[in-house]
Each structure stands twice: as structure tokens, then as C-alpha cells.
């Protein structure tokens, strides 16, 4: 009987069922006819290589692709964003799901108010190394009162649909003053650092002149 070996094509660790006790076992290579993965999840998706070898060339290889179906999931890092009117904001959501999904940004959970690239907004959608993950980054420029409110990131596939909201509000009054003070304090800090560097440079130059004059006087005294 040939020797059967299983590995992942990307050489990642596999979580398999230990044949002796049924517990999870983490391996890069597994020997056996049947490969039993432990509690399969989305991270297990990918290509597996089955290699059969009985000592007589050639070795036989078979590539098996595993796809795991799961309902859409949305991750939003920030659910509440503040900005002064006229500022820019960036909203981000990560959508995961398989089979293939439809995902997008819209206003107030209304798909009829779909947000696309335009004069006010820039939408960048990136599919990650995992084909089941999409990252949507939405930037709204020159925010006005009409841009305040709820933005919804939605994801749909044949199993289910889900959504996550981000509320954009106006920073005003004391909050706006603090917003500007923070910016100004950073500018002052940079300016002070530059002034300190200039002062240090001048001090170093003055020291060099003083040393040169002392050397000149000392050499004159010798002669």
C-alpha cells in the first residue's frame, strides 16, 4: 500500500483530528488516507496536496481545494466619527463571507442611497489575500450638514445578510476649539523644535569662532 501524505499548498499549519484520541493536532504534514480537519472554519479554506508514494517512481500528486461557506460578517473599527464642517472623514469596514458576496456603503441602511465615487466621495474596495474578504474605505470630503448622519456598510450572500452603521456628527463649540488647539499645539511644537535646532546650530557656530580666535591669539603669542 502506498504511503499517503497530506500538506497545505501554502505550507501553513493544519488542525487535524488526532486518530488516537480525537483531540486537535497541529501539523504541517499528515500521513494517512483520510485527512480529518478539526472544527473546520474559514481559515481552513485553500488548496491541499495529497501525495502518494510506494517507492516506485513516479510519485502521484492530487490537489484538493477546500471552500467553507459562512454567513457574511462585518467589522467596523469606529462606529462614531466627529468632524468640523468642511473637514474630511474616512470610514472603513471589512466584509467577510462565502459564497461570493455583494457589499457596499449606503446612507441610513437604504440601498437606494448607494454611495459611489464622486466629487464628494472616494470609495476604494480591496479584496484581501483571502478571496472571501473585502475592505471598503470611504472618504467624504468637505463635509457639510447634508453629509452628517448614518452610513451603513452592508454585505449579502446566498446564506444571509448583515450590516453595520457608522454615525457621523459635527464637532462644534468647545469641541471645535479643542480640535483647532490640538492642531495648533502640534504646529507650535514643530516650530519650537525647529527653533531649538537653529539655536543649537548658532551656539555651535559661535563656539567654533571662539575656539578659532583663541588658537589664533595663542599662536601669535608664541611667535
Amino acid at each position: 500500500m502506498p504511503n499517503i501524505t497530506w500538506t497545505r499548498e501554502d505550507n501553513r499549519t493544519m488542525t487535524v483530528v488526532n486518530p488516537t484520541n480525537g483531540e486537535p493536532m497541529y501539523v504541517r504534514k499528515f500521513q494517512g488516507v483520510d485527512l480529518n480537519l478539526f472544527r473546520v472554519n474559514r481559515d481552513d479554506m485553500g488548496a491541499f496536496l495529497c501525495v502518494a508514494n510506494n517507492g516506485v517512481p513516479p510519485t502521484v500528486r492530487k490537489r484538493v481545494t477546500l471552500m467553507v461557506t459562512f454567513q457574511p460578517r462585518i467589522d467596523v473599527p469606529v462606529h462614531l466619527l466627529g468632524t468640523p464642517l468642511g473637514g474630511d472623514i474616512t470610514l472603513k469596514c471589512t466584509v467577510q463571507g462565502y459564497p461570493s458576496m455583494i457589499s457596499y456603503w449606503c446612507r441610513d441602511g437604504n440601498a437606494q442611497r448607494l454611495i459611489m465615487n464622486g466629487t464628494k466621495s472616494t470609495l476604494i474596495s480591496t479584496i484581501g489575500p483571502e478571496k472571501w474578504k473585502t475592505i471598503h474605505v470611504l472618504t467624504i470630503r468637505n463635509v457639510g450638514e447634508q453629509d452628517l448622519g448614518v452610513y451603513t456598510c452592508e454585505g449579502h450572500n446566498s446564506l444571509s445578510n448583515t450590516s453595520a452603521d457608522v454615525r457621523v456628527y459635527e464637532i462644534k463649540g468647545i469641541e471645535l476649539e479643542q480640535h483647532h488647539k490640538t492642531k495648533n499645539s502640534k504646529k507650535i511644537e514643530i516650530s519650537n523644535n525647529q527653533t531649538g535646532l537653529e539655536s543649537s546650530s548658532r551656539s555651535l557656530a559661535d563656539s567654533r569662532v571662539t575656539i578659532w580666535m583663541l588658537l589664533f591669539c595663542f599662536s601669535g603669542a608664541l611667535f
Side-chain angles (χ1 to χ4, degrees):
M1 185 174 179
N3 181 34
I4 308 294
T5 303
W6 289 91
T7 60
R8 284 189 64 100
E9 189 175 58
D10 56 13
N11 203 35
R12 284 169 44 205
T13 300
M14 302 178 292
T15 306
V16 302
V17 177
N18 191 322
T20 58
N21 57 20
E23 294 295 319
M25 184 170 61
Y26 305 96
V27 297
R28 291 188 182 276
K29 183 182 292 186
F30 179 81
Q31 290 188 337
V33 176
D34 298 322
L35 177 66
N36 294 317
L37 298 175
F38 185 84
R39 294 181 182 175
V40 173
N41 60 57
R42 72 196 73 179
D43 295 325
D44 294 315
M45 286 200 284
F48 293 77
L49 298 177
C50 175
V51 180
N53 183 9
N54 63 358
V56 179
T59 298
V60 179
R61 297 172 179 267
K62 183 71 174 179
R63 185 176 185 269
V64 180
T65 301
L66 171 66
M67 304 304 294
V68 179
T69 60
F70 60 98
Q71 297 179 356
R73 170 185 168 183
I74 295 180
D75 295 314
V76 174
V78 179
H79 288 271
L80 189 63
L81 280 175
T83 179
L85 295 181
D88 297 344
I89 55 168
T90 297
L91 295 75
K92 178 181 177 181
C93 73
T94 301
V95 187
Q96 305 176 47
Y98 189 84
S100 299
M101 301 175 300
I102 297 174
S103 54
Y104 49 83
W105 280 103
C106 63
R107 289 298 305 269
D108 303 311
N110 185 354
Q112 300 297 322
R113 302 182 65 187
L114 197 65
I115 301 175
M116 306 291 287
N117 283 314
T119 55
K120 288 273 294 181
S121 59
T122 300
L123 177 62
I124 300 176
S125 299
T126 306
I127 298 177
E130 308 90 347
K131 301 301 181 183
W132 39 267
K133 179 186 294 185
T134 304
I135 300 173
H136 297 292
V137 179
L138 173 65
T139 300
I140 308 295
R141 296 180 295 275
N142 190 24
V143 173
E145 291 186 0
Q146 73 279 6
D147 300 312
L148 304 177
V150 176
Y151 290 77
T152 304
C153 181
E154 295 206 2
H156 305 261
N157 70 7
S158 58
L159 299 178
S160 182
N161 60 76
T162 188
S163 64
D165 292 338
V166 178
R167 180 175 293 276
V168 176
Y169 70 95
E170 178 189 358
I171 297 178
K172 55 185 177 181
I174 296 176
E175 290 182 335
L176 182 56
E177 291 178 8
Q178 291 175 344
H179 180 79
H180 288 310
K181 283 180 180 178
T182 302
K183 284 189 174 181
N184 291 334
S185 64
K186 289 181 179 178
K187 291 179 181 178
I188 292 172
E189 183 179 346
I190 293 172
S191 177
N192 288 339
N193 289 338
Q194 291 176 342
T195 303
L197 289 173
E198 291 173 358
S199 299
S200 299
S201 299
R202 285 197 296 269
S203 298
L204 181 59
D206 292 343
S207 299
R208 288 175 177 170
V209 171
T210 303
I211 293 171
W212 181 83
M213 292 179 67
L214 287 172
L215 289 173
F216 179 78
C217 293
F218 181 71
S219 60
L222 289 177
F223 292 101

